[in-house]
Each structure stands twice: as C-alpha cells, then as structure tokens.
C-alpha cells in the first residue's frame, strides 16, 4: 500500500487561476495598485503558443494603463485603413481610412504576436508571482475562504479567487455557469514569416461572403497573421480535416481560390506547423446579464472564462485586458476606505465584505459591455458570412461598410486608468 502524500496548505490573499493574457493583465493591474496576487498556471512554463491577435483602441488604452503600451507598440505596425472585399466577386465593398486630413484619428489598431504580449506582461510582474505546474483539480468553500486543491496535493487557502482559465474554466464550472453555446461555425488560423521582409501595407484586409470570412493582418515587417472563419453547413466540409494540417491547408486554399491571388499566395506560403483549427463557441449573452453568475461572493471571472465570443469583431483578448484593469481598480477602491478606529489591519470578515463590494461593482460595470460585445460579434459574423441572396446583396451594398464601422466603434472604449489609492 502506497503511503499518501501529506497535503501542504498555503495561505494567499488573492489567487488568479490561469497565466494567459487575462490572468497576467489582472495580476499586473493589481500589482500597479500595490496588491499582491499569486497566479496559478497548469503548464510548466509560460504558455507562448498561439499566433497573433488584433488589438484595437480599447486594448491599447488598457495596455497603457498597465504601463506596457509603448513597449509593445515598438514591435507592431499601426493600421492605416480597413478594406473589405466580396468573396463572390473579389470586388471591394468597403474601405475606411484611419487617417483624417493626413492626421491620425483617435484609433490605434494593430496586430501583435501573442508571445510578445504575454512575455511583456510577465516581465513586469514581481519574481515568484506565477506558480507553474499548478493544476487546480477542485475548489471548495471553507467559511470566508476558498480552498484550491492542486494536482500535486498542495492546498491553497485564499480570500479572493479570480478565474482566468479560459473557455474550459474550472472556476466557471465551480461557479455554476451554464455550458457554452456552439456557434455552428469554425475557424482556421495561420501565421506566416517572411525572412527577407514582406511588402504588405499596414492595413486590415478581409473578404466576406459565401459562408466564409478570410482576412489577413501584418504584425510587423516580417510576419503576417491570417484567419478563415466559416460555416461548415454551408460548405462541403469534412470535420476529419481538423486532425490533418495538410487537409486543413487544402481546405483553406479551396476557399480562397476565387478570392484573390494575393491571399492565395499568403495561404500557400503558410507552413503546416503554423495552422490551427477550432470550433467557435460563445457564452450566451443572457448568462452575462445575471450578475451572480459573474460574481459568486469572493470569486469572479475574467476574459474567456467569463465571456468567450466569436472572433468577428476581434474583441476576445481586448476585452480581457479591459476586464483586468477594471477588476483591479474595483478591488483597490474598496480598500481606500480608512480602517475603523483602533483597528490596525482588516479582520477576515471585513476583508471579505470589502472584496464582495468590489467584485459586485466589477460585475455591474462590466455586464452590459460584455453583453454588447458577445451579441454584436455574433451578429456581425452572421452578416459577414451568410450565404443567402438577400443578405449577400445587402452586404455588398452597405453591410460591409457597416460591419467595419461597428468593429471600430466597439473598439473605441476606454476602461480607464489605474489610480493609486491610499487607505
């Protein structure tokens, strides 16, 4: 009979589950406000997988609040305009310049490598903030605290639990959030390196229609990120291709064969190890309106753990950055109140009550914003990919312009700054 390992219990005020963009941004925001957190990451090192993501104006405002915006801007190209084309005809259907009278508008739209984002955020955190190889297997209540049981038998006792652990969130499941909704669409994404540099302009190009949405965005002078989202039921799609990079590439090339020689060449150049396929899912927007699903006493969710959405307005990572800044500010504000007379430090129940107020404020501030993002993204995707004659006609006449303007409008949001609070 094997002897059982002795459990080791560790006390932490604030624990964040997941060291992705959401978890790192939340931890850094708390750090900027003088609050320490411990980030649990199930992997044995920082997860730098994933190719790139579009960062709109709201993301850059959040990154500026975190103090890393200017650092990241040095590694990216600012888009000068957006162009949309018809997948049916290949003809242009919309264009929006991000410059007015030769002066930049108040937009900052770029595409960044995911690795650069997470590494930049991680470098700003104090040493020891992230605990790797820390897989959470169960969560339980213990009075005013949460007990996190890890796979290595460690038990963490925390006053605040923040779930940043993605679409398959253990924390969200424990909180009782309903299962995600299948969007009945899929996405194939790719990344291309040009060793000698490419000559593409810094612009966002996208092709809409026939059940497909294809776009490409330059990250820097030597790399491009592209995506192909599609409705399998509208196409001759075999799900078995998802396990075969060769078939995946052939499928995307077949979708682009009548679109553009430029796009076709980009896809053709993509190496097989730079392809990724996934079914698209989302959180029902109605779930978000239920405030107690966002916050459960001293537990809350951030990023994809809270609001997975379709990628049609490019707000998944951007909104996660917003979440982190807003949450940290709401928590810090609750501790700006002076301690009761004669009390040198907060008792556990006072700490709990203040945290509860802060998290409920976070939920109140975020729920309508998140509801709008999820709903808008889903509807924009339908308009961009639908194959019907009426919607195709409307898209070529004015919907393409409208959807691009919607993307910019949803990205023109300011989550606010991180202010220093004194108790």
């Amino acid at each position: 009979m094997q002897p059982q390992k002795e459990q080791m219990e560790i006390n932490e005020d604030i624990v964040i589950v997941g060291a992705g963009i959401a978890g790192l941004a939340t931890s850094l925001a708390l750090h900027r406000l003088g609050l320490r957190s411990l980030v649990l990451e199930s992997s044995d090192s920082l997860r730098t997988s994933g190719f790139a993501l579009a960062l709109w104006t709201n993301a850059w405002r959040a990154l500026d609040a975190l103090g890393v915006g200017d650092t990241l801007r040095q590694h990216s190209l600012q888009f000068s305009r957006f162009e949309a084309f018809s997948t049916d005809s290949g003809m242009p259907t919309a264009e929006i310049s991000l410059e007015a009278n030769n002066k930049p508008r108040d937009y900052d739209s770029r595409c960044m490598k995911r690795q650069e984002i997470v590494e930049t955020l991680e470098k700003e955190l104090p040493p020891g903030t992230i605990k790797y190889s820390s897989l959470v297997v169960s969560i339980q209540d213990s009075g005013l605290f949460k007990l996190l049981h890890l796979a290595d038998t460690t038990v963490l006792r925390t006053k605040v639990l923040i779930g940043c652990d993605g679409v398959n969130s253990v924390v969200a499941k424990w909180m009782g959030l309903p299962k995600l909704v299948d969007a009945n669409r899929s996405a194939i994404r790719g990344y291309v390196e040009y060793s000698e540099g490419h000559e593409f302009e810094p612009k966002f190009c996208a092709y809409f229609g026939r059940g497909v949405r294809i776009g490409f965005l330059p990250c820097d002078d030597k790399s491009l990120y592209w995506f192909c989202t599609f409705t399998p039921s509208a196409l001759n799609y075999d799900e078995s291709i998802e396990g075969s990079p060769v078939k995946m590439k052939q499928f995307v090339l077949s979708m682009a064969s009548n679109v553009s020689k430029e796009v076709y060449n980009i896809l053709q150049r993509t190496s097989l190890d730079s392809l990724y396929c996934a079914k698209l899912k989302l959180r029902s927007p109605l779930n978000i309106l239920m405030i107690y699903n966002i916050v459960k006493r001293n537990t809350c969710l951030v990023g994809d753990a809270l609001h997975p959405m379709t990628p049609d307005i490019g707000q998944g990572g951007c909104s996660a950055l917003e979440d982190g800044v807003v949450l940290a500010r709401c928590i810090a504000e609750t501790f700006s109140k002076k301690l009761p007379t004669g009390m040198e430090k907060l008792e556990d129940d006072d700490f709990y009550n203040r945290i509860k107020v802060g998290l409920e404020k976070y939920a109140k501030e975020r729920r309508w914003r998140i509801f709008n993002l999820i709903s808008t993204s889903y509807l924009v995707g339908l308009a961009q990919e639908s194959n019907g004659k009426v919607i195709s006609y409307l898209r070529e006449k004015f919907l393409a312009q409208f959807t691009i303007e919607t993307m910019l409008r949803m990205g023109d949001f300011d989550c606010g700054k991180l202010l220093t609070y004194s108790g």
Side-chain angles (χ1 to χ4, degrees), residues 108-180:
D108 197 349
S109 305
R110 304 162 187 260
C111 187
M112 283 292 306
K113 297 175 185 176
R114 185 184 180 279
Q115 179 176 351
E116 291 182 347
I117 299 171
V118 295
E119 287 180 346
T120 299
L121 293 171
E122 187 270 341
K123 287 176 183 176
E124 294 293 314
L125 291 170
T129 298
I130 305 174
K131 178 178 169 61
Y132 293 105
S133 300
S134 299
L135 175 65
V136 177
V137 294
S138 66
I139 303 169
Q140 67 179 102
D141 281 311
S142 178
L144 301 178
F145 302 88
K146 294 290 177 290
L147 295 182
L148 306 183
H149 296 265
L150 308 187
D152 64 0
T153 74
T154 299
V155 178
L156 284 168
R157 186 171 180 262
T158 184
K159 298 176 181 177
V160 186
L161 174 59
I162 304 172
C164 301
D165 45 341
V167 295
N168 298 312
S169 170
V170 173
V171 181
K173 184 177 180 180
W174 178 83
M175 289 176 65
L177 265 70
K179 291 183 178 180
L180 303 183

Side-chain angles (χ1 to χ4, degrees), residues 318-334:
C318 301
S319 55
L321 292 167
E322 289 181 18
D323 292 342
V325 171
V326 173
L327 175 59
R329 187 171 59 242
C330 289
I331 290 176
E333 283 177 359
T334 65

Side-chain angles (χ1 to χ4, degrees), residues 272-372:
L272 295 179
D273 60 355
S274 295
L275 291 168
Y276 174 75
C277 183
K279 290 183 173 65
L280 300 181
K281 296 186 178 182
L282 66 148
R283 177 82 64 202
S284 168
L286 295 179
N287 295 157
I288 300 300
L289 295 184
M290 300 170 63
I291 186 169
Y292 297 108
N293 275 344
I294 296 177
V295 168
K296 187 175 182 180
R297 297 187 292 277
N298 58 343
T299 304
C300 70
L301 300 168
V302 169
D304 281 345
L306 172 60
H307 49 68
M309 63 186 77
T310 60
D312 305 291
I313 57 174
Q315 280 294 330
C318 301
S319 55
L321 292 167
E322 289 181 18
D323 292 342
V325 171
V326 173
L327 175 59
R329 187 171 59 242
C330 289
I331 290 176
E333 283 177 359
T334 65
F335 291 100
S336 64
K337 295 169 58 178
K338 293 183 178 180
L339 294 174
T341 303
M343 185 181 292
E344 294 183 1
K345 69 175 184 177
L346 284 174
E347 300 295 334
D348 288 342
D349 55 346
D350 292 315
F351 189 103
Y352 176 88
N353 289 330
R354 291 196 183 200
I355 283 296
K356 186 178 178 183
V357 170
L359 297 191
E360 288 177 355
K361 183 176 181 181
Y362 161 73
K364 183 177 181 180
E365 186 171 336
R366 294 301 292 162
R367 69 173 187 258
W368 280 107
R369 168 69 174 164
I370 294 168
F371 174 86
N372 287 333

